[in-house]
Amino acid sequence: MTRLLFVDDEPHVLQGLRRMMRRVRDEWEVHTAESGEEALRIMAELPADVVVSDMRMPHMNGVELLNR
């Protein structure tokens, strides 16, 4: 199963993405993180096949996250 990780510092955006992705939960495993740091912790345990990140986040922007 393909594992997706959505990263955004706005909880309502992640909530909307989770709602949208319910239809494909049999095909894709969807995870969310509210920061780059949280995303790295999640990926240490559950490596993601695809990461979709907000580019403008405090502390660690999307470019820095994707580089790591």
Side-chain angles (χ1 to χ4, degrees), residues 9-37:
D9 61 315
E10 297 184 40
H12 69 276
V13 171
L14 294 175
Q15 182 180 23
L17 287 166
R18 281 191 298 269
R19 193 176 322 115
M20 255 182 15
M21 300 303 289
R22 280 186 198 145
R23 291 180 240 145
V24 296
R25 67 179 164 213
D26 293 336
E27 302 167 43
W28 296 339
E29 185 179 329
V30 177
H31 297 272
T32 60
E34 291 187 20
S35 68
E37 294 85 357

Side-chain angles (χ1 to χ4, degrees), residues 3-67:
R3 186 175 294 136
L4 293 107
L5 175 60
F6 291 99
V7 186
D8 198 301
D9 61 315
E10 297 184 40
H12 69 276
V13 171
L14 294 175
Q15 182 180 23
L17 287 166
R18 281 191 298 269
R19 193 176 322 115
M20 255 182 15
M21 300 303 289
R22 280 186 198 145
R23 291 180 240 145
V24 296
R25 67 179 164 213
D26 293 336
E27 302 167 43
W28 296 339
E29 185 179 329
V30 177
H31 297 272
T32 60
E34 291 187 20
S35 68
E37 294 85 357
E38 182 181 1
L40 292 173
R41 284 192 300 273
I42 290 170
M43 287 190 291
E45 304 258 335
L46 301 166
D49 298 301
V50 178
V51 177
V52 179
S53 178
D54 180 5
M55 296 310 282
R56 293 184 183 180
M57 296 184 292
H59 309 293
M60 181 186 306
N61 64 40
V63 172
E64 186 178 353
L65 169 63
L66 296 175
N67 280 329

